[in-house]
Amino acid sequence: MKYKKTLSKNRRRNRPQKNRQQIDLFENGLHEQSRKHNAKTKVSEAAITQKESLSPKYVFIMLLITAIALIAIYHKSVLIYWQQTYHHDLFNSGSMTQKMDLDDSDGRVEEYSKDVVIDQNNVISSIDDESHLNQPVKNVLVISPSEMVNIKKDKKRQKIHVQPISIKQENTKLSKTRFDGTPVTEQIDTEAKDEAPKIQNIPLIHEPLPIVLTQNDKVLFVGDSLMQGVAPYVKKMLFKQYKIESVNLSKQSTGLAYPKAFNWPKTINDILIADPSIKLLVVFLGPNDPWDFPVKGYAKYVKFKSELWEEQYRLRIATILNSASEHNVQVLWLAAPCMRKPQLNLGMVYLNTLYQSEVEKRQQHFLTTNQLLGCTYETFNSFIESNKDKIKVRVDDGIHFTPIGQKILAKAIMDKIIFKQFEDDDSD
């Protein structure tokens, strides 16, 4: 029993010590929090004092900027109002004391203290207005102070209608005023000096020069599968009739849309550099091109017929034509004919507009093919009529030609060529 009592007494003595320690810790924590709070409040108070000290400067700067802006706007509005009202500059004109009081009442007769000029647009200005200095003015109305003018002002349209009572019409040249303020006018002869020279109607696009070839000249054929069937016939005809050699570079499934697959502009330029005897370039392209194609610098394919597509395609056509002109080579460009598939047919119509416009810009030859093949872009036809007989000129795919159709196109190309013999051959 004594042992138990001692333990209970010790427990009672230890409890107040623990409570005091907890209270001390709590008080210490409160002191630290209060210190941190005081430090923050001091920092915020310092910032507020700094802002309060800087705020007048900011207010002054803002007021100054707004004042300058308002002055500029007011100054500009005054200038605009003056120019619209009196038709001359406020500060550059030397006559600010002109008597030009226009009454709003219709039909009132006004009098001016100085000579004024009324041009063909019914704009009234003084004769000493610097906007007319040293400028020949034709058919103006010069009104002296002794003459009266009936002036009507239209409020709705803001126009001034002038009805002269006694007006003399002259051709005058307005010059600077003298130091005493009197205007100086100079008479101009009213003869044919004022007449503008007549412009002759000169055509912007001339007819291309005829294709003239000699025996020493060569012909270059380029194109896709359409040219592959036509070029061999032309090549045989040229050599058989005129002993003219030719080069056939036509390649299936090629065009101008995908230069990475086959680059026609570069190929043509290289062959023209390598063989200076080539004097005629015959081009036949189209069915492989009316599709979207990639352009350098763009992630997606450029859409067919878009502005960028047309720009890039025209550039490739122009590159071929420029290479030909640089090497003194004439060009005969064949139009893509009608196609059976409607979408492809519409593509040929669009491409032919690009071919023809670029070819005619450089005064080269453009050969249409639909009439030769007996079809139009509105109606596709695989046959032509000859002596009440139908001759098939297109194969079943609605794109390529039969041998007869190829010969018809070859004959049309031959008709565009003029052969010139040498004088020695004529003497022999």
Side-chain angles (χ1 to χ4, degrees), residues 23-37:
I23 292 167
D24 293 337
L25 291 171
F26 181 75
E27 290 177 353
N28 292 332
L30 290 175
H31 286 300
E32 289 179 0
Q33 289 180 359
S34 62
R35 287 175 186 175
K36 291 180 181 179
H37 181 70

Side-chain angles (χ1 to χ4, degrees), residues 88-145:
H88 70 286
D89 197 351
L90 176 62
F91 296 100
N92 294 330
S93 63
S95 58
M96 293 178 59
T97 61
Q98 296 176 12
K99 183 182 178 183
M100 297 182 67
D101 298 327
L102 299 178
D103 194 278
D104 291 339
S105 62
D106 294 337
R108 180 176 175 180
V109 177
E110 298 293 332
E111 185 176 358
Y112 293 83
S113 61
K114 291 187 178 181
D115 289 0
V116 296
V117 176
I118 304 173
D119 61 8
Q120 294 177 351
N121 296 322
N122 292 338
V123 176
I124 299 176
S125 56
S126 174
I127 202 166
D128 58 351
D129 187 357
E130 289 186 2
S131 62
H132 299 291
L133 295 182
N134 297 326
Q135 295 182 5
V137 182
K138 185 178 179 181
N139 295 329
V140 299
L141 303 178
V142 181
I143 305 171
S144 64

Side-chain angles (χ1 to χ4, degrees), residues 156-171:
K156 295 181 179 179
R157 299 183 179 179
Q158 296 296 326
K159 291 184 179 180
I160 298 174
H161 302 283
V162 180
Q163 296 178 357
I165 299 172
S166 173
I167 298 176
K168 53 183 178 180
Q169 185 171 358
E170 297 177 356
N171 290 337

Side-chain angles (χ1 to χ4, degrees), residues 74 89 192 195 211 225 238 247 269 277 316 330 338 366 376 413:
Y74 178 76
D89 197 351
E195 295 181 358
I211 301 172
S225 56
L238 285 171
V247 180
N269 188 58
S277 61
R316 296 168 191 180
Q330 290 183 282
C338 58
F366 186 77
T376 63
I413 295 172

Side-chain angles (χ1 to χ4, degrees), residues 311-342:
E311 179 184 351
Q312 293 293 320
Y313 199 82
R314 282 183 180 273
L315 183 62
R316 296 168 191 180
I317 300 171
T319 303
I320 294 174
L321 297 171
N322 291 338
S323 298
S325 63
E326 288 175 2
H327 297 89
N328 197 20
V329 176
Q330 290 183 282
V331 179
L332 175 59
W333 202 296
L334 275 68
C338 58
M339 300 291 169
R340 175 173 290 170
K341 295 181 180 179

Side-chain angles (χ1 to χ4, degrees), residues 75-299:
H75 179 265
K76 189 173 182 180
S77 63
V78 169
L79 290 179
I80 293 171
Y81 173 78
W82 188 273
Q83 289 175 0
Q84 290 179 352
T85 305
Y86 299 107
H87 303 286
H88 70 286
D89 197 351
L90 176 62
F91 296 100
N92 294 330
S93 63
S95 58
M96 293 178 59
T97 61
Q98 296 176 12
K99 183 182 178 183
M100 297 182 67
D101 298 327
L102 299 178
D103 194 278
D104 291 339
S105 62
D106 294 337
R108 180 176 175 180
V109 177
E110 298 293 332
E111 185 176 358
Y112 293 83
S113 61
K114 291 187 178 181
D115 289 0
V116 296
V117 176
I118 304 173
D119 61 8
Q120 294 177 351
N121 296 322
N122 292 338
V123 176
I124 299 176
S125 56
S126 174
I127 202 166
D128 58 351
D129 187 357
E130 289 186 2
S131 62
H132 299 291
L133 295 182
N134 297 326
Q135 295 182 5
V137 182
K138 185 178 179 181
N139 295 329
V140 299
L141 303 178
V142 181
I143 305 171
S144 64
S146 61
E147 294 172 332
M148 305 297 291
V149 181
N150 187 10
I151 299 174
K152 294 182 179 180
K153 187 174 182 181
D154 190 351
K155 296 180 180 179
K156 295 181 179 179
R157 299 183 179 179
Q158 296 296 326
K159 291 184 179 180
I160 298 174
H161 302 283
V162 180
Q163 296 178 357
I165 299 172
S166 173
I167 298 176
K168 53 183 178 180
Q169 185 171 358
E170 297 177 356
N171 290 337
T172 61
K173 181 179 181 182
L174 305 179
S175 59
K176 295 183 178 179
T177 57
R178 297 191 181 95
F179 290 103
D180 56 357
T182 59
V184 179
T185 61
E186 181 182 353
Q187 297 292 333
I188 299 176
D189 189 9
T190 58
E191 294 180 357
K193 294 180 181 179
D194 294 333
E195 295 181 358
K198 295 182 180 180
I199 300 174
Q200 297 179 355
N201 294 326
I202 300 174
L204 297 177
I205 300 174
H206 300 282
E207 290 294 328
L209 296 174
I211 301 172
V212 180
L213 298 178
T214 64
Q215 189 175 349
N216 295 332
D217 299 329
K218 289 184 180 180
V219 180
L220 174 62
F221 298 97
V222 298
D224 52 17
S225 56
L226 299 182
M227 179 62 85
Q228 276 186 325
V230 177
Y233 287 103
V234 187
K235 192 174 182 179
K236 291 180 181 178
M237 294 177 184
L238 285 171
F239 188 78
K240 184 177 181 179
Q241 295 182 23
Y242 309 126
K243 304 298 181 183
I244 294 177
E245 296 182 355
S246 55
V247 180
N248 182 15
L249 293 182
S250 56
K251 188 176 179 62
Q252 188 176 0
S253 301
T254 59
L256 303 180
Y258 292 90
K260 288 186 177 180
F262 193 84
N263 195 334
W264 272 119
K266 184 179 182 302
T267 302
I268 293 170
N269 188 58
D270 292 341
I271 194 67
L272 293 180
I273 294 173
D275 195 348
S277 61
I278 295 174
K279 296 301 177 183
L280 176 62
L281 171 65
V282 185
V283 185
F284 201 5
L285 294 166
N288 299 312
D289 286 345
W291 324 112
D292 302 347
F293 59 63
V295 175
K296 188 176 181 181
Y298 291 84

